[in-house]
Amino acid sequence: MAFTTELQSSSRLLALIAPIVAVLGKDAILPCSLVPGINAENMELRWFRTTFSQAVFIYWNQQEQTEELMADYRGWTSLVSKFLTQGQAAVHIHKVQVSDNGMYTCFFRHGGFSEKADLELKVAGMGADPQGHIEGPEEDGVRVMCKASGWFPKPQVQWRDLCGNKFLALSEDQTQDSEELFSVEATLVVRDSSVGNVTCSVLNPVLGQEKAMAIYIPAWRKAPLYADWRKEQFQACVGITNVVAVAEVMVTILVLVLKGPVTSLTPK
């Protein structure tokens, strides 16, 4: 009873304020600690998701209890008990999946004492390298496309030129597969004929890491590019040029007629 009274009067359960980041397919540790550090070997310890019954791990009677665990976590979680006598415990989630992403609550109870604390797990995965290609002419430029798959969470796509200047994408579509991984498809219309390369970079906002691919627009693509940009202007220019050429020929003929035969200046 003295142990329970001591817990009720002075102890708190603490968890990390900052989100815990775990890479997809790797392990995650969700720690909680009693302050001050009091032996938790004889307590009931529980980690759960949204509701108390959505148990991720349960420790009671000094052993793991698996009957009440969610099916997705049975066999995939274990207790880190090295510092349990000091009031510190953690759940080890093995090979995290996208479904493990989100909020958790740890709950410690002994007799009339109970405390809980919330923590957040952010799962993040780097997907495949982006793949890009030129699709063809597009009104006043040339359209390029970039694709990437297998990312989590939703990635951010950015187009840049060789100097690092950013372009606004023409369109961007993102979808999720059966494993909740994101695929992205982005397009850009390059209107500046001086741009030799454009880079498509795909960023994971949680890890702060990106993968990029450069798409080269060769010189032979630029001539048609200009024609597409200025087709009407070119046609008008050609028409004016033809009129001027005809006028010059007519003036030359008129001059020759007025002057008469040309006399040779070469001595006999």
Side-chain angles (χ1 to χ4, degrees), residues 102-167:
M103 298 300 299
Y104 291 78
T105 299
C106 57
F107 174 83
F108 286 24
R109 176 164 58 190
H110 182 82
F113 166 84
S114 65
E115 277 282 321
K116 64 180 181 179
D118 296 327
L119 37 78
E120 182 180 6
L121 176 63
K122 286 190 174 183
V123 176
M126 298 290 289
D129 293 344
Q131 300 295 318
H133 63 272
I134 297 173
E135 286 204 311
E138 173 75 23
E139 295 183 356
D140 56 349
V142 62
R143 179 194 288 258
V144 292
M145 174 176 284
C146 177
K147 298 180 179 180
S149 60
W151 290 71
F152 190 84
K154 182 185 295 185
Q156 299 172 359
V157 180
Q158 183 63 68
W159 294 93
R160 296 184 180 90
D161 63 14
L162 287 173
C163 298
N165 300 314
K166 296 180 179 180
F167 295 113

Side-chain angles (χ1 to χ4, degrees), residues 3 7 9 56 58-59 62 68-69 77 100-101 112 135 150 166 185 190 195 203 220 224 246 249 253:
F3 178 63
L7 283 170
S9 62
V56 173
I58 300 174
Y59 170 88
Q62 297 189 348
E68 298 181 44
L69 298 184
T77 55
D100 297 319
N101 186 70
E135 286 204 311
K166 296 180 179 180
E185 183 176 300
V190 180
V195 174
L203 172 71
W220 63 269
V246 171
V249 170
I253 293 173

Side-chain angles (χ1 to χ4, degrees), residues 183-196:
S183 293
V184 60
E185 183 176 300
T187 58
L188 171 73
V189 174
V190 180
R191 295 181 171 88
D192 186 350
S193 63
S194 66
V195 174

Side-chain angles (χ1 to χ4, degrees), residues 256-267:
L256 291 175
V257 169
L258 292 175
K259 284 186 175 182
V262 177
T263 304
S264 173
L265 297 178
T266 305

